[in-house]
Amino acid sequence: MLPSDPTNETAYSFVVFGASGRLALRKIFPALWQLYRDNLLPQGTKIFTFSRTRLELARFRIKCVPHMQLDRNRDPAKYNSFWTNVHCCCGSYDNPYDYTQLRDAMVRQETKHNMTLANRIFYLAVPPVVFDHVTLNISRKCLSQTGFNHVIVEKPFARNEVTFKPYQAQLTQTFKESQIYMIDHYLSKRVMQNFFIVRYTNLIWSETWNNRHIAAVMISVKCEHPVSEYVEYFNQFGIIRDVMTNHMMQLLAMLTMEQPYSNYVEDMRAEKLKVLKQILTLDMSDLLLGQYANNGRETNASNVGYAQHPGIPKNSLTPTYAMAVLRLKCKRWTGVPFILRVGKALNETKTEVRVQYRPMDCERSEHSKSLPNELVLQLAPKENLFMRVLLKQPGLHGLCLREAQLNLMSRERGPPLPNFSSLLLDVFEGNQMLFMRSDEQCEIWRIFSPALTYIDVEHPKPLPYHFGSRGPLAAYDMARKNGFVFYESDDWHAVVQEQEHKDSNSRALMATPAWMH
């Protein structure tokens, strides 16, 4: 039955726990509004906020405006209508009585229009410290007896393998796996879905997607912004737990898994789990850490070194940059390095995957040796999928070569549904295809926990890099030694020259810390 079916007698309650936080403000409510604006939110949906901070609907509505992408010529009336469906509740996460009040508020709305079924969705945008209280109280006080109950879980999913076990036990004892939606924002990208079609239905890529043809893979998540808006969270968890152990590992699994037996959800999730089990535990010799420092040129007071942010200890060794080289032990991928690169306060914001192919056996041009064929998946700031190849330069230049791009992603007509909105729509429809299973996260922690434990105990000093730079120079050297070739402005030598020109002392940044030996 379509969400817009006028005969729908089902009520939907969407509860946002932690509604006073930045995630609800910047992601969840804008996504719900976009679904409502485009008539994709199921009829009868009521939205509830639950937080320790008392929210006044009028003020909260005003705070959301900058993030809603409103069209003044189209949206005002419908925007007003959207907020008539929002109801604010306040309470303590560990107080069962407050959950009873929330349940009563949902029941009042569900029975107001004589709905026969009540489906409930609980979005847990809450700190890990209150996670157990929230899940336990939801299961005891707030579950529907006539419809489905879905719970959306946000990262961080614990801190390591040891702390994830009770986290997983609490979650799976309270809810069935079919009710749990461990959300990862990257998996909804249209470019990933296009990649599946390219890989599995085209002979050119399906037959070359292996270690005989691919030399190296790099997954990059670069952010030009500092961590000043969430310093307390970041200083506790660091860059690896924030991005690498969830978003980037999910991308890696999607890239490397075998073709599922069918389009059935569990077949796809089983293949993801299988490939995660084949990834070797990360060794400290394959991990590089960095932390951004004041470059001395920024006029913005927030664009300073990491340890200069208010609330961050001056001697903090929390990494804001990390590069990890992962290796798989399987027939298809043995010998191919998978390089994960992530950092804050860099020169640009982008998320991309670069798959580099091996060079031809009989190359006749020095230029071709430095420019391997490359499949590029761009996820942000714009989505794109293209192949880098070499062609002859136009004009009378003999056989001089130039780089060209083959676009593999069609441009759809009309504005696409925002990625985060499409994930929420999947939760309403009960589609778990693009959500993690808890046993997947178990394997991810198995891969990273030894290195994270070493960092937590030994406190290795991260390499410094300037705010707004490309990151530590040693990271480029590390990638190059693992067989990755940088194109044009990302070329290793160009980066070295740029940094040396800006700072005569930049050579000191290339010093390798003792813990890497």
Side-chain angles (χ1 to χ4, degrees):
M1 182 166 55
L2 296 175
S4 58
D5 188 344
T7 64
N8 186 6
E9 296 182 352
T10 302
Y12 292 83
S13 294
F14 191 100
V15 186
V16 182
F17 287 89
S20 59
R22 59 195 299 271
L23 180 65
L25 188 70
R26 299 187 177 188
K27 287 283 188 180
I28 301 174
F29 271 87
L32 290 170
W33 153 244
Q34 288 157 3
L35 290 176
Y36 183 84
R37 179 196 63 195
D38 298 335
N39 299 319
L40 295 172
L41 201 65
Q43 287 188 356
T45 298
K46 302 298 179 183
I47 302 167
F48 299 85
T49 71
F50 189 96
S51 60
R52 290 173 295 193
T53 304
R54 183 175 295 279
L55 293 179
E56 294 183 10
L57 185 59
R59 292 185 178 181
F60 183 68
R61 169 179 171 166
I62 294 174
K63 288 180 65 176
C64 289
V65 168
H67 311 286
M68 293 298 209
Q69 299 181 356
L70 297 174
D71 184 342
R72 293 184 178 181
N73 298 322
R74 177 179 77 155
D75 296 337
K78 197 154 194 175
Y79 188 66
N80 291 334
S81 176
F82 169 77
W83 286 101
T84 63
N85 298 297
V86 179
H87 307 272
C88 295
C89 299
C90 176
S92 299
Y93 292 129
D94 59 350
N95 188 347
Y97 176 76
D98 293 332
Y99 290 79
T100 302
Q101 296 291 96
L102 171 64
R103 179 197 62 200
D104 293 342
M106 287 190 288
V107 170
R108 283 195 298 271
Q109 293 299 323
E110 289 163 352
T111 58
K112 190 174 182 179
H113 301 289
N114 298 319
M115 299 294 189
T116 57
L117 296 177
N119 293 330
R120 294 176 184 172
I121 298 172
F122 307 95
Y123 199 123
L124 307 190
V126 295
V129 68
V130 301
F131 182 83
D132 288 353
H133 292 302
V134 175
T135 53
L136 190 61
N137 282 310
I138 288 175
S139 66
R140 291 177 175 176
K141 301 295 182 180
C142 296
L143 296 185
S144 171
Q145 304 301 316
T146 60
F148 67 63
N149 295 281
H150 294 165
V151 57
I152 306 173
V153 185
E154 271 282 349
K155 57 96 175 175
F157 308 113
R159 289 185 57 85
N160 50 36
E161 188 174 17
V162 173
T163 57
F164 183 73
K165 295 295 184 181
Y167 178 101
Q168 181 191 31
Q170 172 70 21
L171 192 59
T172 54
Q173 288 173 8
T174 308
F175 300 97
K176 299 176 182 177
E177 192 71 56
S178 60
Q179 297 174 311
I180 301 170
Y181 290 74
M182 299 183 73
I183 195 167
D184 191 283
H185 303 189
Y186 287 6
L187 297 190
S188 64
K189 300 288 188 179
R190 289 183 302 124
V191 67
M192 292 303 299
Q193 298 165 27
N194 275 275
F195 160 74
F196 279 132
I197 302 302
V198 167
R199 175 185 169 184
Y200 294 133
T201 64
N202 293 278
L203 184 65
I204 296 175
W205 284 279
S206 63
E207 290 299 310
T208 60
W209 204 251
N210 52 55
N211 53 9
R212 298 192 306 276
H213 300 91
I214 293 176
V217 178
M218 177 177 282
I219 303 175
S220 298
V221 179
K222 301 177 66 178
C223 179
E224 61 190 307
H225 303 295
V227 299
S228 53
E229 293 186 353
Y230 54 112
V231 291
E232 183 178 352
Y233 159 81
F234 195 91
N235 201 56
Q236 181 183 0
F237 288 94
I239 194 70
I240 297 177
R241 293 184 179 95
D242 184 44
V243 183
M244 199 173 279
T245 59
N246 37 77
H247 302 321
M248 300 182 80
M249 288 303 295
Q250 284 297 307
L251 289 179
L252 176 56
M254 300 284 268
L255 287 168
T256 56
M257 71 181 194
E258 297 295 329
Q259 183 172 2
Y261 178 75
S262 70
N263 291 331
Y264 183 59
V265 171
E266 288 309 313
D267 286 337
M268 179 172 176
R269 298 170 99 184
E271 291 299 336
K272 284 170 58 184
L273 178 63
K274 188 184 301 182
V275 76
L276 288 171
K277 288 183 175 181
Q278 295 170 342
I279 300 176
L280 300 178
T281 301
L282 177 63
D283 190 90
M284 284 302 297
S285 62
D286 286 324
L287 180 63
L288 181 145
L289 304 175
Q291 185 186 95
Y292 64 86
N294 195 328
N295 61 19
R297 299 186 304 275
E298 295 287 346
T299 57
N300 189 334
S302 64
N303 294 351
V304 294
Y306 175 74
Q308 294 175 282
H309 290 303
I312 297 292
K314 300 303 180 184
N315 60 347
S316 174
L317 298 177
T318 301
T320 62
Y321 181 101
M323 177 177 282
V325 182
L326 297 180
R327 308 174 197 280
L328 279 72
K329 188 176 182 181
C330 61
K331 183 178 180 181
R332 182 183 292 273
W333 295 115
T334 295
V336 178
F338 289 85
I339 305 167
L340 277 57
R341 176 177 64 163
V342 58
K344 299 286 187 180
L346 296 175
N347 63 315
E348 60 181 339
T349 296
K350 72 174 182 180
T351 300
E352 69 175 15
V353 178
R354 295 169 63 177
V355 180
Q356 289 193 345
Y357 283 78
R358 296 187 181 279
M360 294 287 290
D361 291 335
C362 301
E363 290 180 330
R364 297 181 179 275
S365 168
E366 289 297 321
H367 182 59
S368 64
K369 291 181 181 179
S370 62
L371 294 176
N373 293 149
E374 191 174 68
L375 181 66
V376 181
L377 292 78
Q378 292 182 341
L379 286 79
K382 294 183 179 180
E383 293 189 54
N384 206 353
L385 176 63
F386 60 89
M387 190 80 186
R388 276 173 166 160
V389 298
L390 293 174
L391 298 177
K392 177 186 174 298
Q393 286 189 11
L396 301 176
H397 299 290
L399 292 179
C400 294
L401 304 178
R402 68 178 178 88
E403 175 200 340
Q405 296 182 1
L406 303 180
N407 189 358
L408 303 175
M409 191 167 177
S410 62
R411 298 302 174 192
E412 300 176 2
R413 293 184 178 181
L417 183 66
N419 297 303
F420 193 71
S421 299
S422 68
L423 281 178
L424 295 190
L425 194 59
D426 284 342
V427 180
F428 278 99
E429 296 174 348
N431 181 6
Q432 293 180 300
M433 181 73 76
L434 299 177
F435 294 84
M436 284 191 289
R437 212 165 56 188
S438 59
D439 51 4
E440 294 177 41
Q441 192 63 43
C442 271
E443 287 302 318
I444 294 174
W445 283 127
R446 188 264 308 166
I447 297 165
F448 282 93
S449 284
L452 289 170
T453 300
Y454 181 89
I455 294 170
D456 291 341
V457 173
E458 299 297 331
H459 305 290
K461 186 176 182 180
L463 296 174
Y465 63 95
H466 282 166
F467 190 108
S469 70
R470 301 171 188 268
L473 299 181
Y476 284 85
D477 195 27
M478 183 177 178
R480 182 174 55 85
K481 289 178 180 178
N482 279 280
F484 191 85
V485 178
F486 288 94
Y487 271 62
E488 300 173 355
S489 61
D490 282 337
D491 181 77
W492 163 254
H493 301 291
V495 173
V496 173
Q497 293 172 4
E498 175 187 328
Q499 294 289 348
E500 288 179 345
H501 177 72
K502 291 181 177 179
D503 185 356
S504 60
N505 296 322
S506 62
R507 294 182 183 275
L509 298 179
M510 297 183 64
T512 305
W515 58 266
M516 286 188 60
H517 296 290

